[in-house]
Amino acid sequence: MRKWIRYSKTSILGLLGVMLLSSCDRSKYIVLDPKGPVAHEEMRLIIISTILCAVVIIPVLAIFVYIVVRYRNRPGNNAPYEPEWDDSKVLEVIWWGIPIVIVAILGFYTARTAIDVSKPPVKDVTPVVVQVTSLDWKWLFTYPGQKVATVNYAEIPAGVPIQFVLTADAPMNSFWVPQLAGQEYTMPGMAMGMWLQANKTGNYYGSGANFTGTGFAHMKFRVRAVSQADFNKWVARLRKNSPALTRDGYEDLVRPNTVKELSFSSYPEHLFEDIVNKNGGTYFHHQHHMGEDVPMQKTHTHP
């Protein structure tokens, strides 16, 4: 028994040591390396959830070790024998009260974070809208304000709130840029919205987080955050040097295959709206005043 207890303690300490040492270099774990206000809010929620879980797990493990040691079968064990014991009001209050308090706290912070990240991170800056369409097995980004399009990469200005509007012209997927925001589903016939913002310039890893067939491993993209001046130059360069995306070109793009990064100087008018509508949805677009949800996309699907 003593050998088993020593083995358990060694295993637990070893596991904790590996976790602590592995988390020293946060750059290896981009989920824990937020680079924008939305990601920072979600990181705070992760920390709160971890602390609340630890409030449960650590005492349970401690009680487990205590019971194994205190009540193990050994000579001279003086643990009381109480065959008529049936309940304890104090213990019932503890094991019902603590979970209720933990769930209430976690629910409060989760709801508050969900509300906060559904709004523009900064309200005194005009946001940029990027429409995202997940395909087999690639990502199409269209910029309604700039009239350009890209495949498998997105260029955004740093320090500017970005509203991604998401749909799918293929099986549903999940849009994920770990350092800038959490996941949001892309679904046929729906236009889902999410806000994010990059605090600094740089390249950020993006990926599909939902299995969509044999090419799933290629559903990766990069988000490149640049200065506002460089973003304007990039738009001008695409308009001048890149080919246009036509309807026929889009039909070729929809076919299940993998492609490299592509850039287009323009794309068919109302392409994103037509993608949503053809998959059973109805797409609406209207502009709000700056500082509110600008712009908002509303959708509904037919039963």
Side-chain angles (χ1 to χ4, degrees):
M1 180 62 71
R2 291 181 180 178
K3 182 179 179 181
W4 182 87
I5 294 173
R6 286 197 300 270
Y7 176 77
S8 299
K9 291 179 179 179
T10 303
S11 300
I12 293 173
L13 292 174
L15 179 60
L16 291 174
V18 170
M19 293 173 63
L20 291 173
L21 292 174
S22 65
S23 62
C24 290
D25 186 4
R26 295 178 64 184
S27 63
K28 295 181 179 179
Y29 303 94
I30 54 179
V31 176
L32 305 179
D33 187 29
K35 298 298 184 182
V38 174
H40 277 289
E41 286 290 327
E42 294 173 346
M43 181 64 184
R44 185 178 68 172
L45 184 60
I46 291 174
I47 293 173
I48 292 172
S49 301
T50 302
I51 293 173
L52 292 175
C53 289
V55 169
V56 176
I57 294 173
I58 293 176
V60 168
L61 292 177
I63 292 172
F64 169 75
V65 173
Y66 171 78
I67 290 175
V68 169
V69 174
R70 176 69 177 85
Y71 295 100
R72 70 186 187 276
N73 187 12
R74 62 171 181 172
N77 190 343
N78 298 319
Y81 177 63
E82 301 180 64
E84 304 300 325
W85 185 89
D86 58 356
D87 72 332
S88 170
K89 300 301 182 185
V90 174
L91 291 178
E92 288 187 10
V93 169
I94 292 174
W95 63 54
W96 282 104
I98 292 177
I100 290 173
V101 171
I102 290 174
V103 170
I105 295 173
L106 185 59
F108 169 78
Y109 280 105
T110 300
R112 192 176 74 171
T113 301
I115 294 172
D116 290 342
V117 301
S118 66
K119 301 176 182 178
V122 179
K123 294 187 177 182
D124 58 350
V125 179
T126 303
V128 173
V129 179
V130 182
Q131 298 165 332
V132 183
T133 305
S134 63
L135 305 171
D136 280 336
W137 291 281
K138 60 197 78 74
W139 294 91
L140 172 65
F141 300 89
T142 52
Y143 294 72
Q146 291 72 31
K147 307 300 181 184
V148 297
T150 61
V151 173
N152 288 340
Y153 83 97
E155 195 107 346
I156 63 172
V160 175
I162 311 296
Q163 188 184 36
F164 283 99
V165 189
L166 313 168
T167 193
D169 202 0
M172 68 178 291
N173 211 305
S174 183
F175 181 84
W176 191 25
V177 188
Q179 290 179 284
L180 300 181
Q183 301 178 39
E184 183 64 66
Y185 283 110
T186 63
M187 294 180 282
M190 297 288 289
M192 311 295 290
M194 70 177 297
W195 288 96
L196 60 76
Q197 179 178 311
N199 288 338
K200 298 180 180 179
T201 59
N203 286 295
Y204 300 100
Y205 171 83
S207 175
N210 206 58
F211 183 74
T212 55
T214 57
F216 163 73
H218 301 281
M219 292 288 292
K220 299 176 182 178
F221 59 92
R222 66 182 176 98
V223 176
R224 182 168 178 254
V226 297
S227 66
Q228 183 66 60
D230 287 342
F231 177 76
N232 295 337
K233 292 177 183 178
W234 170 77
V235 172
R237 186 166 60 251
L238 259 61
R239 289 175 177 172
K240 181 179 180 180
N241 301 325
S242 301
L245 177 62
T246 62
R247 290 281 178 179
D248 290 339
Y250 176 74
E251 293 304 320
D252 290 336
L253 203 60
V254 170
R255 293 191 178 95
N257 59 16
T258 59
V259 299
K260 59 182 181 180
E261 292 182 355
L262 303 173
S263 302
F264 300 99
S265 60
S266 63
Y267 59 90
E269 189 175 4
H270 305 306
L271 176 62
F272 184 82
E273 292 86 340
D274 293 343
I275 294 171
V276 176
N277 294 341
K278 83 172 186 178
N279 287 298
T282 303
Y283 182 88
F284 298 95
H285 178 98
H286 63 273
Q287 183 84 23
H288 283 251
H289 297 292
M290 187 174 67
E292 299 177 8
D293 291 341
V294 186
M296 287 292 291
Q297 283 71 32
K298 294 185 177 180
T299 64
H300 69 267
T301 53
H302 300 297

